[in-house]
Amino acid sequence: MNTAPAPDDKPQWLDDEEQRIWRSYVHATTLLEDHLDRQLQRDAGMPHIYYGLLVGLAEAPHRRLRMTELAMKAKITRSRLSHAIARLERNGWVRREDCTDDKRGQFAVLTDPGLEMLQEAAPGHVRAVRNAVFDRLTPEQQKWAGGRVEE
């Protein structure tokens, strides 16, 4: 279903309250991402995006995903993913494998040292997430945020 407005439709501008809510949301998500990025840089020497890539690989069957699939899951370009994987390879946390049925395709594979790094980084990251998000919400707010509102 296409929800894009017709070209001759005038935009429905945000009113002052909607604008305030929108800008607060953007500000809060930026602060959260910065907080998580700083924690992972400090404690694990990697940005949050790299941590997410390692998690994605750890959760994949045989700890491997096609590069295109990993880029889609991480919501990043293939170029940005290629740069990130190169850095993770230099650290020994990921390796690339050629795809046997598609000569252009490659897999990213989480190595044993990469899994160890992820396991070492996870407790601090979970503490940062819990402190920044869950410790600030009541159980009722968590249910609402998770879409589990009981009527």
Side-chain angles (χ1 to χ4, degrees):
M1 171 167 45
N2 186 0
T3 59
D8 59 343
D9 285 350
K10 295 204 187 312
Q12 182 181 354
W13 299 109
L14 301 179
D15 64 29
D16 289 345
E17 180 65 6
E18 291 168 331
Q19 194 67 256
R20 185 191 64 74
I21 292 167
W22 171 244
R23 289 179 182 175
S24 294
Y25 168 79
V26 170
H27 183 71
T29 57
T30 300
L31 288 175
L32 177 60
E33 185 63 32
D34 288 349
H35 173 71
L36 297 177
D37 205 48
R38 279 192 311 275
Q39 178 272 318
L40 283 164
Q41 286 284 6
R42 181 188 65 236
D43 297 348
M46 74 177 92
H48 192 222
I49 187 73
Y50 291 10
Y51 180 86
L53 295 172
L54 295 179
V55 168
L57 291 172
E59 293 174 343
H62 309 290
R63 300 188 328 220
R64 64 189 295 215
L65 282 174
R66 285 194 62 137
M67 294 281 282
T68 52
E69 186 177 351
L70 185 56
M72 287 181 358
K73 284 181 69 130
K75 308 247 185 293
I76 60 175
T77 64
R78 288 184 294 180
S79 173
R80 186 171 180 201
L81 175 67
S82 184
H83 176 76
I85 293 297
R87 172 124 179 254
L88 293 169
E89 280 182 302
R90 284 193 298 275
N91 291 339
W93 300 338
V94 171
R95 73 173 181 275
R96 294 182 213 219
E97 292 179 355
D98 290 330
C99 182
T100 56
D101 60 331
D102 178 2
K103 296 298 177 196
R104 296 177 301 159
Q106 284 190 317
F107 288 96
V109 181
L110 181 65
T111 63
D112 290 340
L115 182 59
E116 289 172 20
M117 168 50 75
L118 185 59
Q119 290 169 338
E120 289 172 17
H125 181 63
V126 168
R127 274 191 301 276
V129 169
R130 182 165 299 288
N131 176 263
V133 179
F134 294 100
D135 290 350
R136 298 172 189 276
L137 298 174
T138 67
E140 293 77 26
Q141 289 170 324
Q142 289 181 32
K143 287 178 187 174
W144 181 83
R148 299 185 317 234
V149 178
E150 298 166 7
E151 298 183 34

